[in-house]
Amino acid sequence: EPDGFSIDDLVRRKVEPWTGVRNYQARNFMRDDMRRGDGVLFYHSNCAEPGVAGVAEIVGMARPDPTQFDPRSDYHDPGSKPDDPRWLLVDVGFKRKFKRTISLAELKADMRSQIAGDAHYIAKRPPAERQRLVLQVLEQFNGRNASEVARRLGIGRTTVYRILKQPGKASA
């Protein structure tokens, strides 16, 4: 979100905790599968031109997100307790800023190309990175079901499930 925290902010700060994730599947993925060194797409949402603005890297493992305990935070969760935290964060480090934002429409087209067998960059990614892409889109749409993610990406729901279930999880 360019008005919230943008790729330009990450350029300046170098490393930032990824706070405010309130999707159980994304939380579980951060906890169970994200490792230091994993690449992630830095996505701007809630702005005039949503899309991927750059590449970041996981530099810190999952830990409790303190915003869940702060009543002043937009991400406060009164049901989460410090001795049993519900929400996690990972630290994200800057890798690369794109010259322009890659729109959701372009991502959809690239995903369609992947499904059709074209050798675009996403298709060349290991299965775990394809899983991360689908989960990032799932997080962007606030945990709506796989049907909604498939519709937004322009792919079949079965394809979403197949990508999510593929082996190849990143190792530490």
Side-chain angles (χ1 to χ4, degrees):
E1 288 83 281
D3 294 334
F5 189 84
S6 72
I7 190 76
D8 292 325
D9 295 316
L10 190 58
V11 168
R12 281 190 296 280
R13 294 184 189 176
K14 308 288 187 246
V15 173
E16 182 74 10
W18 184 6
T19 60
V21 174
R22 298 298 183 263
N23 170 282
Y24 287 105
Q25 189 172 15
R27 179 216 48 201
N28 294 347
F29 195 72
M30 288 192 310
R31 180 191 65 210
D32 300 336
D33 297 312
M34 286 187 175
R35 300 289 179 259
R36 284 184 184 93
D38 286 350
V40 295
L41 300 175
F42 194 100
Y43 192 90
H44 285 172
S45 58
N46 300 326
C47 59
E49 185 183 348
V52 178
V55 178
E57 171 181 31
I58 302 302
V59 297
M61 299 298 290
R63 65 180 193 276
D65 179 347
T67 63
Q68 67 192 308
F69 307 121
D70 182 356
R72 297 166 294 163
S73 171
D74 290 339
Y75 303 110
H76 178 243
D77 181 352
S80 185
K81 306 299 177 209
D83 60 341
D84 187 21
R86 185 175 292 162
W87 305 110
L88 304 173
L89 63 78
V90 292
D91 290 317
V92 178
F94 174 75
K95 290 294 281 183
R96 181 174 151 219
K97 179 182 175 180
F98 295 160
K99 290 181 182 177
R100 64 177 187 81
T101 300
I102 300 171
S103 71
L104 185 57
E106 289 176 89
L107 289 175
K108 286 181 186 181
D110 193 62
M111 189 63 110
R112 285 186 194 110
S113 295
Q114 174 195 354
I115 302 310
D118 291 345
H120 284 73
Y121 71 94
I122 292 175
K124 294 178 183 178
R125 303 279 46 104
E129 289 188 36
R130 287 193 299 265
Q131 289 171 330
R132 274 192 280 286
L133 174 63
V134 170
L135 285 172
Q136 286 175 337
V137 174
L138 184 67
E139 164 64 19
Q140 181 215 348
F141 295 111
N142 299 317
R144 294 184 190 137
N145 63 31
S147 296
E148 178 68 10
V149 171
R151 186 180 73 73
R152 297 287 180 133
L153 287 173
I155 61 177
R157 187 181 66 191
T158 303
T159 302
V160 170
Y161 287 122
R162 182 175 34 103
I163 290 171
L164 289 173
K165 290 181 181 183
Q166 286 176 340
K169 294 179 178 173
S171 57

